[in-house]
Amino acid sequence: MADDLTDIVADIVATMRSAQDRGRVAHYIPELAKVEPHHFGIAVATADGQMVTGGDADLRFSIQSISKVFALTLALGKVGDQLWDRVGREPSGTAFNSIVQLEHEQGIPRNPFINAGAIVVADVNLGGHQPRVAIGEMLRFLRYLAGDDDIAINEAVAASETASGFRNMALANYMRAFDNVRHPVELVLGAYFHQCAIEMSCRQLALAGRYLMLDGRHPDGGRVVSPRRARRINALMLTCGHYDASGDFAFRVGMPGKSGVGGGILAIVPGRASIAVWSPGLNASGNSQLGTLALEELSSRTGWSIFSPPAAR
């Protein structure tokens, strides 16, 4: 498979580099609007320890909402299933920053991967500390997962999000009114905005996701989460990881995945691979246009859809 996978990744990179319609970069966060749309990178970390990369796999980008996977992992480690008293587990069917459902459901976000749910998760991870403590914990966690201490926050992106994040401020204040945000809103959003501004390359991100392909284990043998929790996080990624396009992503790609408006996607094939793709241009649903197409092609050529028969995978 190693030679085949190398050829497949090279073919995908060539196809994506020649694509004419590359989507549109996120324009509502000023720093992200500056990113050149021509980039494309992919990294595949396999369960047997191989790494296959292509394109701009070592360029760093703002992981944005992909950070919600790792924040959720930390929050579940702190409060366990009590988290689900404050955040749901259902697909939203609405945009990632919608406030409509919050009003109808009395301040309980539909799932932890829409912005409102991630803000509640940030509130849990804040744990009575200053934002710098929660941010430091997140960075240490990602550095451990990736085996790379050179992962950091882009402070310009964090400042840009803080200056333009009025919708997130509205979401947080609305949930505070229902006592579903317990800390001061400015502290919670300070942690949340900096979490989203973490920069990683495709290579680093694929390495960080390995515990979700290995039933909760780190490749060094350590236990990150239980097998049951790893499966449940993957389930949430499959059903909720692409906002109101989650069903379409499952239909076309068939892998648990989490997107970010920085143009990255982390996709997991349990027992087989942790995959990161990045192309900053977004489709109409706010997910990487070329990243989605690349993962669809990878799934088709490898048979890695979780809906394929085990023999085909």
Side-chain angles (χ1 to χ4, degrees):
M1 169 61 77
D3 292 339
D4 290 343
L5 185 58
T6 299
D7 292 341
I8 290 169
V9 167
D11 288 347
I12 289 172
V13 170
T15 300
M16 296 305 130
R17 279 184 167 165
S18 64
Q20 296 300 306
D21 183 2
R22 310 185 74 83
R24 184 182 181 192
V25 299
H27 60 281
Y28 59 91
I29 299 173
E31 282 297 312
L32 296 187
K34 299 176 183 178
V35 180
E36 292 293 334
H38 66 270
H39 294 297
F40 175 81
I42 181 171
V44 183
T46 63
D48 60 2
Q50 299 174 65
M51 171 64 76
V52 179
T53 64
D56 300 314
D58 290 308
L59 280 183
R60 298 180 194 181
F61 59 92
S62 180
I63 68 171
Q64 292 293 313
S65 287
I66 301 172
S67 67
K68 296 171 183 176
V69 174
F70 306 107
L72 174 63
T73 302
L74 288 173
L76 287 170
K78 294 176 188 296
V79 300
D81 287 345
Q82 293 178 40
L83 179 67
W84 307 123
D85 295 332
R86 299 176 59 185
V87 183
R89 299 189 297 270
E90 295 293 336
S92 65
T94 59
F96 59 89
N97 57 0
S98 173
I99 200 169
V100 175
Q101 284 179 333
L102 275 181
E103 182 173 8
H104 179 67
E105 295 170 0
Q106 298 188 318
I108 304 295
R110 187 64 68 91
N111 65 68
F113 293 152
I114 56 174
N115 285 16
I119 290 169
V120 172
V121 170
D123 186 58
V124 171
N125 284 332
L126 200 58
H129 300 290
Q130 290 296 309
R132 65 178 179 274
V133 176
I135 295 163
E137 181 182 35
M138 172 70 81
L139 284 173
R140 287 191 297 274
F141 185 49
L142 284 170
R143 289 166 180 169
Y144 164 66
L145 293 175
D148 189 339
D149 288 337
D150 197 22
I151 295 172
I153 291 167
N154 185 319
E155 293 292 347
V157 173
S160 184
E161 295 204 48
T162 301
S164 61
F166 302 111
R167 180 71 68 95
N168 286 321
M169 295 174 197
L171 292 170
N173 278 293
Y174 195 80
M175 291 186 293
R176 174 88 169 176
F178 284 96
D179 196 36
N180 203 21
V181 167
R182 313 284 172 73
H183 296 86
V185 164
E186 63 274 13
L187 298 183
V188 177
L189 290 177
Y192 176 68
F193 290 142
H194 281 79
Q195 162 194 312
C196 290
I198 292 170
E199 283 193 327
M200 298 175 72
S201 66
C202 289
R203 184 189 301 269
Q204 290 170 326
L205 187 56
L207 291 172
R210 291 174 296 177
Y211 73 104
L212 292 172
M213 78 162 165
L214 295 174
D215 225 16
R217 287 186 298 105
H218 191 283
D220 69 5
R223 173 64 63 186
V224 180
V225 295
S226 69
R228 180 187 188 198
R229 184 160 290 167
R231 291 192 293 269
R232 288 183 164 181
I233 293 171
N234 279 329
L236 285 167
M237 291 172 68
L238 182 70
T239 58
C240 307
H242 280 71
Y243 312 118
D244 52 334
S246 296
D248 186 63
F249 187 83
F251 180 85
R252 292 168 57 188
V253 178
M255 301 175 187
K258 184 70 198 82
S259 65
V261 296
I265 302 174
L266 173 66
I268 303 297
V269 188
R272 297 301 299 267
S274 172
I275 307 154
V277 293
W278 171 55
S279 182
L282 309 180
N283 60 24
S285 299
N287 303 308
S288 175
Q289 178 149 310
L290 295 191
T292 301
L293 292 174
L295 288 169
E296 184 176 8
E297 179 69 11
L298 182 66
S299 176
S300 175
R301 292 186 60 176
T302 58
W304 279 353
S305 167
I306 64 170
F307 303 110
S308 299
R313 298 201 295 270

